[in-house]
Amino acid sequence: MTVQSPESPAGKEVGSTLGKRLLAFAGDPLFRGDAQVLHGPNPYRRALAPDSLAESDFGRPPGPREWPSHRSLAAHRLLGTFYESETVLLPEQGVDGLYEDFTHFYGRRLKELRESSVSELERFAFGCLDDAVDVSGAATPDVLDTYFQHMVDEAAAGPSPALTAVANARDRESAAGLYLVQLALDGLTEASAMSRNLGGAYGPEQSALFKIFIDEFGYGVYDSKHTTIFAKMLRSRAMATHVHAYWNFYLTGPLATNNYYYYVSRDHARFFRYAGAVTYAEAIFAPAFVKMIKVFRNIFGDDVDLHYCDEHAHIDEHHGRITREQVLLALAERHGPRVVPELLRGIAETRLIGGWFEDDTAAQIRWSDDLARYRDLAGRTSTEPAPRRITLTPASPFGTRTHDGDVVLEIERGEADLVTTPTGPPERMARGDAVLIPAGRLYGVRAAASETACLLHTASPG
Ligand SMILES: [Fe+2]
Ligand SMILES: [Fe+2]
């Protein structure tokens, strides 16, 4: 069954069935969150914010320009959890104290809910790509290579909006922390999606992909594994290194980027799309890491371990070459024009979603770095009557969310911390204080007084 168009009654029905299953999943005690802003070292627990998720209409897939919508964030958090449930996650300190959570996370009830929803949820989350990307036209290996080279050159020459936002922030350390956290989603479980493409029998291209895979795994040496050196970078900034301490701060764009590789790897009908995607990604990583090194050195001087970035700036030159010659073009030559549109689609979709990563991260950095202005703007924003009231205590589960439109958050009673970054200081708000939260911006509120009430005002359109 598929998620249909918003107007279709059948679509609504599917959406509500899917919505019920997703709510049953998110409502599980493992996913209700706790009072802490960062998650403890337990990979099975992650806040899926069932209360705000209940607002999502899963009969109405986000369109191409609605990727930062609240239902898109909800869908990608769920998808990311579904996908990681198909990988082996064990806590560094041993599973002994978490054995019940381990068996429950991988257990039958959640597995059945996942399996009965994952395909529909994928269509919901990624269906907008079908219309957003057009790969019609000549489908020859030459066209493919020309298009690929053009896209890679463009990415290498262009600026990174997210890194520009980090470099231009008032509080550059917090901005860099926010950026690093977006990398942690993949960095802490690197190449997990790729591992799904290693089985089977598909000739020399399979061996080329495997060569890259073993590099990601440090040739079997744990200290050289990319996840290990990524954790080393976080540790050098006194950041947490467990899966997923910063779950509450993963933005929609980065979640979608990470999920995309699982999406095209889970279903091997999309194998050629995966090949296009991984080739584009490997080719743009090296220049992206060169830019990153510059920005981080500038901010932190020697107080950061950039081995992870150095390694990628170097090895991804090599991976970019292998994937282009021995995977992308080799597959096109061997399997002919029928597969070329899919290879092209993989490149185009990865490029598009990579733009979501950049834009979302940049927008979050700019907003969270300038909250004084957004407090100011709150007073000048006209709002709809009948705001929503939310009461909180310091023991309330902490969760983050976004809204589809602009909202004004006002403290009606008590005192609260507005949390918008993983490592920066929270914004203390007293009774009567208000702040404008633009559409798509991620935030959480923590009560600082025993009884706190907030009002959420919807901004009037226009
Ligand atoms: Fe890597
Ligand atoms: Fe690589």
Side-chain angles (χ1 to χ4, degrees):
M1 208 178 272
T2 56
V3 177
Q4 301 182 10
S5 70
E7 299 76 28
S8 133
K12 264 195 180 141
E13 207 174 287
V14 172
S16 70
T17 314
L18 175 64
K20 273 183 204 146
R21 281 193 227 117
L22 297 178
L23 260 182
F25 186 88
D28 189 273
L30 283 183
F31 308 125
R32 284 188 206 142
D34 57 32
Q36 305 308 314
V37 171
L38 301 190
H39 284 352
N42 178 341
Y44 318 116
R45 289 192 176 252
R46 48 189 73 189
L48 291 178
D51 292 347
S52 64
L53 188 137
E55 292 167 25
S56 304
D57 178 359
F58 285 99
R60 206 160 55 86
R65 276 183 298 278
E66 292 179 297
W67 62 263
S69 62
H70 176 249
R71 63 191 189 286
S72 179
L73 171 68
H76 281 294
R77 281 177 167 169
L78 281 157
L79 256 190
T81 304
F82 286 11
Y83 290 143
E84 286 197 344
S85 307
E86 301 294 319
T87 71
V88 182
L89 297 174
L90 291 171
E92 207 179 315
Q93 75 275 20
V95 81
D96 195 35
L98 307 175
Y99 197 67
E100 272 68 42
D101 286 0
F102 164 80
T103 52
H104 189 59
F105 183 76
Y106 291 114
R108 185 168 158 187
R109 178 176 175 270
L110 294 178
K111 186 170 191 275
E112 284 178 357
L113 283 168
R114 284 196 312 268
E115 286 175 350
S116 61
S117 342
V118 65
S119 297
E120 285 168 34
L121 186 58
E122 283 176 331
R123 283 194 56 79
F124 178 88
F126 286 118
C128 62
L129 295 177
D130 294 349
D131 297 331
V133 167
D134 178 14
V135 289
S136 55
T140 64
D142 279 351
V143 168
L144 172 68
D145 197 26
T146 307
Y147 176 75
F148 171 73
Q149 297 284 15
H150 178 69
M151 291 303 153
V152 170
D153 291 347
E154 182 196 82
S160 151
L163 283 174
T164 305
V166 172
N168 293 340
R170 287 182 182 79
D171 179 355
R172 293 190 307 165
E173 296 207 358
S174 298
L178 197 155
Y179 182 95
L180 278 180
V181 159
Q182 307 314 315
L183 300 183
L185 190 56
D186 169 68
L188 296 175
T189 59
E190 204 175 307
S192 291
M194 186 182 231
S195 67
R196 288 174 173 256
N197 296 290
L198 300 177
Y202 58 94
E205 293 76 31
Q206 187 176 13
S207 299
L209 208 58
F210 187 70
K211 214 168 357 177
I212 294 170
F213 183 77
I214 53 177
D215 277 347
E216 309 291 347
F217 273 66
Y219 261 76
V221 177
Y222 182 69
D223 283 348
S224 308
K225 190 171 181 273
H226 288 181
T227 55
T228 312
I229 58 176
F230 182 77
K232 206 166 61 160
M233 176 163 69
L234 294 181
R235 212 172 290 119
S236 75
R237 294 303 313 150
M239 291 171 71
T241 58
H242 54 269
V243 173
H244 281 290
Y246 298 104
W247 175 261
N248 280 323
F249 297 94
Y250 295 146
L251 301 167
T252 311
L255 279 163
T257 305
N258 198 48
N259 285 341
Y260 179 76
Y261 293 96
Y262 282 103
Y263 164 66
V264 289
S265 300
R266 193 181 75 85
D267 177 349
H268 296 310
R270 301 192 190 100
F271 172 71
F272 293 101
R273 241 181 261 192
Y274 170 77
V278 75
T279 305
Y280 178 75
E282 294 290 349
I284 63 164
F285 279 157
F289 278 103
V290 170
K291 291 177 199 161
M292 221 179 284
I293 291 166
K294 240 170 132 182
V295 172
F296 287 163
R297 271 285 168 247
N298 225 324
I299 297 173
F300 298 124
D302 289 337
D303 294 336
V304 65
D305 183 324
L306 293 180
H307 180 185
Y308 178 83
C309 300
D310 291 333
E311 166 82 359
H312 284 85
H314 157 74
I315 207 165
D316 283 337
E317 288 242 9
H318 180 55
H319 289 171
R321 234 181 351 259
I322 297 179
T323 44
R324 174 178 163 265
E325 290 165 10
Q326 299 174 33
V327 179
L328 184 81
L329 299 178
L331 286 171
E333 287 295 343
R334 186 182 306 279
H335 300 285
R338 297 289 294 275
V339 308
V340 174
E342 281 292 286
L343 295 167
L344 283 166
R345 180 168 275 282
I347 297 166
E349 290 183 346
T350 312
R351 174 174 170 266
L352 182 75
I353 301 177
W356 300 353
F357 181 115
E358 288 287 330
D359 293 347
D360 206 357
T361 307
Q364 185 74 15
I365 289 170
R366 287 195 298 261
W367 174 60
S368 59
D369 191 54
D370 201 9
L371 289 176
R373 188 162 80 86
Y374 286 88
R375 280 180 183 253
D376 216 47
L377 284 171
R380 287 187 264 140
T381 304
S382 50
T383 56
E384 303 284 322
R388 187 142 42 109
R389 178 175 288 107
I390 295 157
T391 53
L392 295 166
T393 72
S396 301
F398 177 83
T400 53
R401 63 163 303 165
T402 60
H403 296 276
D404 290 354
D406 293 356
V407 299
V408 171
L409 171 80
E410 181 191 349
I411 307 301
E412 186 192 34
R413 197 172 65 238
E415 224 178 3
D417 282 335
L418 173 70
V419 183
T420 61
T421 68
T423 58
E427 180 85 355
R428 178 57 60 91
M429 295 177 70
R431 183 165 169 252
D433 286 355
V435 64
L436 176 69
I437 299 170
R441 287 309 100 232
L442 186 94
Y443 75 99
V445 181
R446 250 189 119 182
S450 56
E451 278 284 313
T452 298
C454 314
L455 295 175
L456 271 181
H457 305 268
T458 306
S460 306

